[in-house]
């Protein structure tokens, strides 16, 4: 079973993860992981923090050279900003230093009462989307394994607030290069300008903005996930992971939110073409009854506006219980562009985990043989 635990505070010394269950003999490209970390840091709408951090991963265990050994893999990303926060983060706060004014929409209020440390700083540090850096490192490693067994994950920003990009095929390389080179990860140039303008206006107004990310996964064979038990359904498993990404509040597979569709227009008709079983549409997003059906797995994830806003909102002081206005904590204007990269990687872990659940393998070439044999024979059943 592939699994990981991660730890680390946003302004603490480092983010760290232990990844267990990775097959041995896989040759990791560490530069590619670092490139993925850089991709996550880029994008329009980021704040000052990204000028400080230059995320790179270091492996503390589980590798011999660049090859996995089958032992648990420990990864670490150091926080450069720690130097500026050392005293705040490592020392017990004086009572005058404790943060007691919660930001609406953030984890401040729930964390204050749940953990009872008396200082919102403790919740801020762990609820921060900084944690997605280490999850991206894990996912980037999983992505490499997936690529080697014919599975690829791509993403784009579908909307910034209520402005939408056009629908495109992410597996057209020319199209995808354009998206990957766009600061807002969209395809249409006019739309790109409008996204940028929208973010600029929000920044000027002391506001933040959400949006929607589109993910497409190619090459997942039919039969991953299961309906035999509720918690083995692939759409449920992906949803759990996607919803765990900071700021994500909804997920839609395929065209499931198009309420104008009826049974005959929603159902993806089954066709036999070029000696292959295919579907004429992909309204279900590549998953039926919790099981991959061989089409691309596609979903949209909806990211809310970042809760840390410059513009004042009403809140209370938790010590006095008196009404006050919010205090501002440095933040980004929009997390939609980085969320696009984070989601690719969060999903990469889940897909590899489910592939390994179907093809348990201690060693990478064993996995490759098993999945290739399955791909060659499954439609002969
Ligand atoms: C975040 C607040 C900002 C973001 C951070 C998420 O950090 P800071 O409080 O240091 O300005 O930049 O995201 C990252 C650090 C990151 O690496 O993505 C928050 O409150 O969630």
């Amino acid at each position: 079973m592939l699994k990981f635990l991660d730890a680390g505070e946003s302004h603490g010394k480092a983010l760290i993860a232990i990844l267990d269950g990775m097959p041995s003999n896989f040759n990791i490209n560490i530069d590619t992981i670092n490139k993925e970390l850089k991709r996550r840091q880029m994008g329009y709408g980021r704040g000052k923090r990204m000028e400080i951090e230059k995320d790179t991963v270091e492996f503390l265990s589980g590798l011999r050279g660049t090859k996995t050994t089958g032992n648990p893999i420990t990864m670490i990303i150091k926080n450069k900003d720690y130097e500026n926060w050392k005293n705040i983060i490592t020392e017990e706060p004086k009572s005058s230093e404790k943060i007691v004014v919660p930001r609406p929409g953030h984890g401040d209020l729930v964390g204050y009462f749940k953990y009872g440390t008396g200082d919102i700083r403790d919740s801020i540090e762990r609820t921060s989307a900084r944690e997605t850096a280490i999850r991206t490192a894990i996912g980037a490693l999983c992505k490499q394994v997936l690529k080697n067994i014919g599975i690829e994950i791509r993403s784009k920003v579908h909307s910034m607030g209520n402005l939408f990009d056009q629908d495109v095929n992410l597996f057209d390389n020319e199209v995808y290069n354009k998206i990957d080179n766009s600061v807002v990860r969209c395809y249409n140039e006019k739309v790109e300008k409008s996204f940028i303008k929208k973010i600029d206006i929000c920044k000027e107004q002391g506001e933040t903005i959400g949006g929607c990310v589109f993910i497409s996964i190619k090459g997942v064979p039919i039969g991953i996930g299961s309906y035999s038990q509720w918690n083995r359904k692939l759409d449920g498993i992906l949803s759990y992971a996607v919803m765990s990404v900071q700021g994500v509040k909804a997920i839609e597979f395929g065209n499931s939110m198009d309420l104008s569709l009826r049974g005959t227009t929603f159902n993806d008709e089954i066709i036999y073409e070029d000696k292959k079983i295919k579907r004429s549409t992909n309204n279900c997003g590549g998953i039926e009854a919790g099981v991959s059906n061989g089409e691309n797995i596609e979903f949209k994830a909806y990211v809310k506006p970042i809760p840390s806003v410059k513009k004042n909102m009403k809140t209370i002081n938790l010590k006095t219980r008196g009404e006050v206005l919010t205090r501002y904590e440095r933040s980004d204007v929009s997390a939609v562009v980085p969320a696009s990269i984070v989601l690719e990687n969060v999903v990469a872990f889940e897909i590899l985990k489910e592939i390994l659940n179907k093809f348990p393998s201690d060693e990478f070439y064993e996995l490759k043989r098993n999945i290739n044999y399955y791909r060659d024979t499954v439609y002969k059943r």
Side-chain angles (χ1 to χ4, degrees), residues 10-11 40-41 46-50 53 55 81 85 103 106 124 127-133 246 306 308 329-332 338:
S10 176
H11 306 95
R40 191 200 72 91
Q41 284 200 266
R46 286 295 219 162
K48 291 273 173 230
R49 177 77 186 270
M50 289 304 104
E53 303 298 342
D55 294 341
D81 209 14
W85 285 74
R103 293 162 297 173
H106 220 292
I124 296 177
T127 53
S128 167
R130 178 80 190 135
E131 183 257 352
T132 61
Q246 290 79 343
I306 288 174
S308 301
E329 180 96 9
R330 179 185 69 181
S331 191
D332 304 323

Side-chain angles (χ1 to χ4, degrees), residues 2 19 22 137-147 345 348-350 352-353:
L2 190 69
L19 175 65
M22 185 60 85
I138 294 164
L141 167 49
C142 297
K143 244 189 191 181
Q144 286 180 28
V145 178
L146 290 174
K147 204 165 180 187
N345 288 290
F349 169 81
E350 297 300 328
L352 182 60
K353 175 179 65 122

Side-chain angles (χ1 to χ4, degrees), residues 22 87 113 129 216 235 247 295 302 305 311:
M22 185 60 85
N87 298 340
F113 286 110
S216 186
D235 40 6
E295 298 295 311
Y302 293 81
K311 216 171 171 177

Side-chain angles (χ1 to χ4, degrees), residues 70-129:
N71 297 339
I73 294 173
T74 310
M75 294 161 121
I76 182 169
I77 297 173
K78 291 188 181 135
N79 289 322
K80 290 203 184 316
D81 209 14
Y82 171 68
E83 288 305 317
N84 308 317
W85 285 74
K86 236 194 277 198
N87 298 340
I88 299 173
I89 292 302
T90 50
E91 276 161 32
E92 181 132 3
K94 294 190 196 91
S95 105
S96 61
E97 289 165 351
K98 289 184 177 175
I99 302 173
V100 289
V101 176
R103 293 162 297 173
H106 220 292
D108 298 1
L109 183 78
V110 291
Y112 183 87
F113 286 110
K114 182 171 172 63
Y115 292 104
T117 65
D119 187 2
I120 287 172
R121 167 62 49 208
D122 296 315
S123 333
I124 296 177
E125 289 300 318
R126 190 59 189 157
T127 53
S128 167

Side-chain angles (χ1 to χ4, degrees), residues 76-323:
I76 182 169
I77 297 173
K78 291 188 181 135
N79 289 322
K80 290 203 184 316
D81 209 14
Y82 171 68
E83 288 305 317
N84 308 317
W85 285 74
K86 236 194 277 198
N87 298 340
I88 299 173
I89 292 302
T90 50
E91 276 161 32
E92 181 132 3
K94 294 190 196 91
S95 105
S96 61
E97 289 165 351
K98 289 184 177 175
I99 302 173
V100 289
V101 176
R103 293 162 297 173
H106 220 292
D108 298 1
L109 183 78
V110 291
Y112 183 87
F113 286 110
K114 182 171 172 63
Y115 292 104
T117 65
D119 187 2
I120 287 172
R121 167 62 49 208
D122 296 315
S123 333
I124 296 177
E125 289 300 318
R126 190 59 189 157
T127 53
S128 167
R130 178 80 190 135
E131 183 257 352
T132 61
I134 195 74
R135 277 205 271 174
T136 299
I138 294 164
L141 167 49
C142 297
K143 244 189 191 181
Q144 286 180 28
V145 178
L146 290 174
K147 204 165 180 187
N148 271 274
I149 52 171
I151 297 170
E152 217 180 318
I153 303 171
R154 292 187 173 182
S155 76
K156 80 191 275 278
V157 171
H158 178 61
S159 91
M160 188 61 67
N162 54 1
L163 299 175
F164 292 85
D165 190 20
Q166 70 189 84
D167 289 332
V168 286
N169 173 10
L170 295 187
F171 290 97
D172 175 327
N173 287 338
E174 218 171 286
V175 166
Y176 199 57
N177 271 342
K178 211 169 153 192
I179 290 168
D180 243 358
N181 288 318
S182 160
V183 288
V184 283
R185 295 192 60 73
C186 76
Y187 176 72
N188 185 300
E189 282 161 32
K190 267 196 194 147
V191 173
E192 181 182 53
K193 285 198 182 97
S194 72
F195 280 12
I196 290 172
K197 196 168 166 202
K198 190 111 177 166
I199 293 171
D200 286 342
I201 292 171
C202 280
K203 191 173 180 183
E204 262 170 50
Q205 294 174 340
E207 272 290 4
T208 58
I209 189 167
C212 170
V213 169
F214 173 68
I215 303 274
S216 186
I217 312 168
K218 191 178 174 180
V220 177
I222 190 169
I224 304 301
S226 175
Y227 49 76
S228 77
Q229 204 53 256
W230 65 271
N231 58 359
R232 291 186 58 200
K233 295 188 181 192
L234 186 60
D235 40 6
I237 289 164
L238 291 177
S239 299
Y240 192 166
V242 166
M243 291 294 290
S244 80
V245 172
Q246 290 79 343
V248 175
K249 291 302 264 183
I251 179 167
E252 172 195 12
F253 283 93
N255 286 322
S256 50
M257 270 161 61
D258 183 348
L259 301 178
S260 70
L261 296 173
R262 298 289 176 263
T264 55
T265 44
F266 184 88
N267 296 337
D268 304 309
E269 286 186 322
I270 301 166
I271 54 176
Y272 193 63
E273 208 177 74
D274 305 327
K275 297 196 173 162
K276 283 196 175 118
I277 297 173
K278 293 184 188 168
R279 316 317 275 274
S280 51
T281 51
N282 191 12
N283 289 321
C284 73
I287 300 177
E288 288 169 308
V291 180
S292 60
N293 67 6
E295 298 295 311
N296 289 0
I297 294 176
E298 293 187 334
F299 64 83
K300 293 191 184 96
Y302 293 81
V303 182
K304 71 182 171 123
I306 288 174
S308 301
V309 279
K310 254 196 191 137
K311 216 171 171 177
N312 287 134
M313 290 185 75
K314 269 201 242 169
T315 181
I316 60 164
N317 178 312
L318 294 174
K319 280 267 167 275
T320 64
R321 306 282 153 121
E323 268 189 26

